[in-house]
Amino acid sequence: MLQQVIEPDLSHIPGPSAPLLVGHTLALVRDPFGLHERMTARYGPVYRLKTLGRWNVTLAGVEAVEMILTDREANFSSKLGWYAIERLFSGGLMLRDFDDHRAHRRVMQVAFRAPAMRDYLARMNAEIGVALSAWPAGEVLAFYAAIKELTLQVGANVFMGLALGSEAERLNQSFVDEVAASTAVIRRPLPFTAMQRGVEGRAHLSETFRGLIAERRTSSADDLFSHLCRAEEDGKGWSDEEIVDHFNFLMMAAHDTTTSALTTMTWALATYPEWQEAVRAEVLALGDGPLAYEALGEMSVTERVFKEALRFMPPVPFIPRVAVKAFTWQGLEIPAGSPVVVNPGLVMRSPELWSDPESYDPDRFSSNRAEDARHRFAWAPFGGGAHKCIGLHFAYMQVKAFVAQFLRDFRIEPGSDEPTRWQRIPIPKPKDGLPVRLTRLT
């Protein structure tokens, strides 16, 4: 097993020369999809780029996504692949490999079983209702900032069993700083840099989480953090530091990816009012009152709209790994120690798999079309294989809980005539904050 990233010779891999210092990092940040599309067109399905200080090999196409993510020979390290966020999210589930990853994942599964999920939904419903009651009607709302605050409030209650109050702004800023630092060009926490702010954010979050552990280990509380503190597999649980590591990563992943997904979905509902009305009709058919756990399976239209939002603007469009052993792909030998990247975000916009992929069309997920079934990795916003997102069903539940109350309470319209432009990495968000105008219906 490789213990650190080595620098293999990748000179035989086709690709462009790299600008000094920053390599292709700035080009990737400016237009990640465009950069990879140009590279594939010029160099084919295997090419090299230099980002965040090291050369990596991109393997384009759905077969590459399947090969890397299923990883049948245990050859691809997720921990080493995500080296850029190791300082910020060390010890998280995504930054563990093979037997160690499986052992930790089994313990974490306890927190996502049906009885726990029912408790989470009850907490979500209450918190969403309180937050939406304060949203303004008849004026333009910056949706991204509003939903980010709402998901943080929901996360504090469902994940931590806390009402954040004045601590919310500091906690939210810590998450923002951690995510921003993950793609910072300067990788050391020097004064006044994004990396320094990210490291400080990690320290604040860790201190907050660590202060809760002792009491939660012996409590009967039903929030996710308490479940993690008590979770055991074969009589073995986690140390305090393991709990802090897992929860730091889990909060970031759930908070920022859900914020991104709900923002894209709301953009779609405002832009395509026929889909807004279809989802609203489904919601109203469920009746009044909080969304019931048993009703989640009845929201098929909502689910199609959500799936298409994830296809259109996936929260994690590129997935990195490091090869533990040399392997051959498309006739090229990739040496041991090579950083490799696959791009499910581009696969989900491939005309070979999707009809008119640049259009927003939830019906492509209907049973009579089922374009996502053309390949098992045609649609993979939650990854796949051993590292498939453990919170997948939690994400579906949170989105449906929000939509059920949001569309019952409000009609949404675009708040600007300008088209929305998106920042795609590290996690997608609208550059204008997604202005929307809300009309209260109840």
Side-chain angles (χ1 to χ4, degrees):
M1 173 64 63
L2 293 174
Q3 297 301 312
Q4 60 182 0
V5 177
I6 62 177
E7 292 290 340
D9 180 8
L10 299 177
S11 59
H12 63 293
I13 306 295
S17 59
L20 293 176
L21 299 179
V22 298
H24 305 104
T25 301
L26 295 181
L28 181 73
V29 171
R30 282 195 299 266
D31 184 14
F33 279 26
L35 174 64
H36 282 283
E37 287 168 349
R38 293 192 298 273
M39 294 300 101
T40 303
R42 182 173 179 180
Y43 298 107
V46 182
Y47 54 89
R48 62 177 182 148
L49 292 171
K50 189 172 187 178
T51 56
L52 297 178
R54 71 177 182 180
W55 286 99
N56 56 74
V57 182
T58 296
L59 309 180
V62 68
E63 288 81 13
V65 172
E66 179 179 27
M67 186 267 295
I68 294 291
L69 297 189
T70 54
D71 194 15
R72 293 185 176 89
E73 298 181 1
N75 190 33
F76 300 105
S77 168
S78 179
K79 174 182 171 61
L80 296 178
W82 289 103
Y83 82 104
I85 63 173
E86 171 71 22
R87 184 190 291 267
L88 304 162
F89 300 108
S90 61
L93 197 60
M94 193 172 71
L95 281 82
R96 293 178 181 270
D97 285 325
F98 313 124
D99 289 344
D100 175 60
H101 170 263
R102 281 189 288 272
H104 279 261
R105 190 179 177 101
R106 282 196 298 270
V107 176
M108 190 176 288
Q109 288 282 10
V110 172
F112 292 98
R113 291 174 182 165
M117 295 282 276
R118 289 176 181 274
D119 293 334
Y120 302 155
L121 180 59
R123 286 176 173 270
M124 278 181 198
N125 284 332
E127 200 68 38
I128 290 168
V130 170
L132 288 181
S133 67
W135 280 20
E139 59 187 76
V140 174
L141 173 75
F143 184 84
Y144 181 81
I147 193 63
K148 192 171 181 64
E149 180 180 352
L150 185 150
T151 56
L152 181 64
Q153 292 171 350
V154 170
N157 190 316
V158 176
F159 279 59
M160 301 170 67
L162 298 175
L164 287 180
S166 60
E167 171 64 8
E169 186 174 345
R170 175 76 190 279
L171 199 64
N172 186 39
Q173 190 60 51
S174 295
F175 288 125
V176 170
D177 290 342
E178 279 191 308
V179 173
S182 66
T183 56
V185 174
I186 299 173
R187 304 308 300 163
R188 296 176 61 193
L190 300 175
F192 310 110
T193 63
M195 182 57 77
Q196 182 195 44
R197 291 190 292 272
V199 169
E200 290 174 349
R202 159 84 195 222
H204 172 68
L205 292 168
S206 297
E207 181 183 2
T208 301
F209 303 150
R210 195 175 290 112
L212 301 172
I213 293 174
E215 182 260 328
R216 298 302 180 85
R217 283 193 187 277
T218 58
S219 77
S220 59
D222 57 11
D223 58 275
L224 192 146
F225 186 75
S226 297
H227 277 293
L228 292 182
C229 289
R230 300 190 301 263
E232 292 183 349
E233 181 70 19
D234 297 328
K236 183 179 179 181
W238 288 331
S239 69
D240 287 8
E241 287 309 305
E242 286 173 331
I243 292 170
V244 168
D245 287 343
H246 280 302
F247 201 65
N248 177 59
F249 176 75
L250 198 60
M251 277 291 284
M252 180 282 298
H255 174 56
D256 279 303
T257 57
T258 303
T259 295
S260 176
L262 281 171
T263 300
T264 305
M265 189 173 179
T266 299
W267 163 83
L269 293 172
T271 305
Y272 303 98
E274 67 276 17
W275 282 107
Q276 182 181 159
E277 292 307 317
V279 175
R280 180 175 291 109
E282 180 174 75
V283 166
L284 294 176
L286 297 175
D288 297 329
L291 179 65
Y293 188 78
E294 292 73 20
L296 292 170
E298 300 175 28
M299 300 178 71
S300 59
V301 178
T302 305
E303 191 160 313
R304 293 205 306 273
V305 171
F306 179 49
K307 283 185 171 182
E308 178 68 343
L310 290 173
R311 185 197 71 84
F312 205 77
M313 193 66 59
V316 185
F318 306 102
I319 297 178
R321 295 286 189 266
V322 167
V324 174
K325 304 180 293 287
F327 69 102
T328 300
W329 188 252
Q330 298 288 338
L332 289 168
E333 180 168 321
I334 315 298
S338 295
V340 294
V341 176
V342 290
N343 43 24
L346 286 171
V347 166
M348 288 188 282
R349 298 174 79 93
S350 169
E352 297 176 0
L353 295 167
W354 305 92
S355 59
D356 192 14
E358 297 300 315
S359 68
Y360 181 87
D361 179 10
D363 274 341
R364 66 176 81 250
F365 292 95
S366 60
S367 58
N368 62 319
R369 286 174 61 182
E371 294 182 13
D372 55 317
R374 292 174 177 174
H375 190 285
R376 61 181 294 204
F377 282 91
W379 186 80
F382 294 99
H387 279 275
K388 189 170 186 177
C389 177
I390 196 171
L392 183 156
H393 298 296
F394 184 95
Y396 274 97
M397 185 171 73
Q398 184 169 356
V399 166
K400 290 178 179 180
F402 172 76
V403 168
Q405 294 194 55
F406 185 45
L407 291 190
R408 185 181 293 147
D409 292 350
F410 294 102
R411 177 173 290 109
I412 327 157
E413 297 174 304
S416 169
D417 294 331
E418 296 296 320
T420 299
R421 296 187 303 124
W422 298 85
Q423 171 189 308
R424 288 189 179 271
I425 59 174
I427 296 176
K429 65 179 181 180
K431 293 182 178 181
D432 63 356
L434 190 66
V436 296
R437 190 177 299 275
L438 304 181
T439 300
R440 190 170 288 278
L441 300 176
T442 58

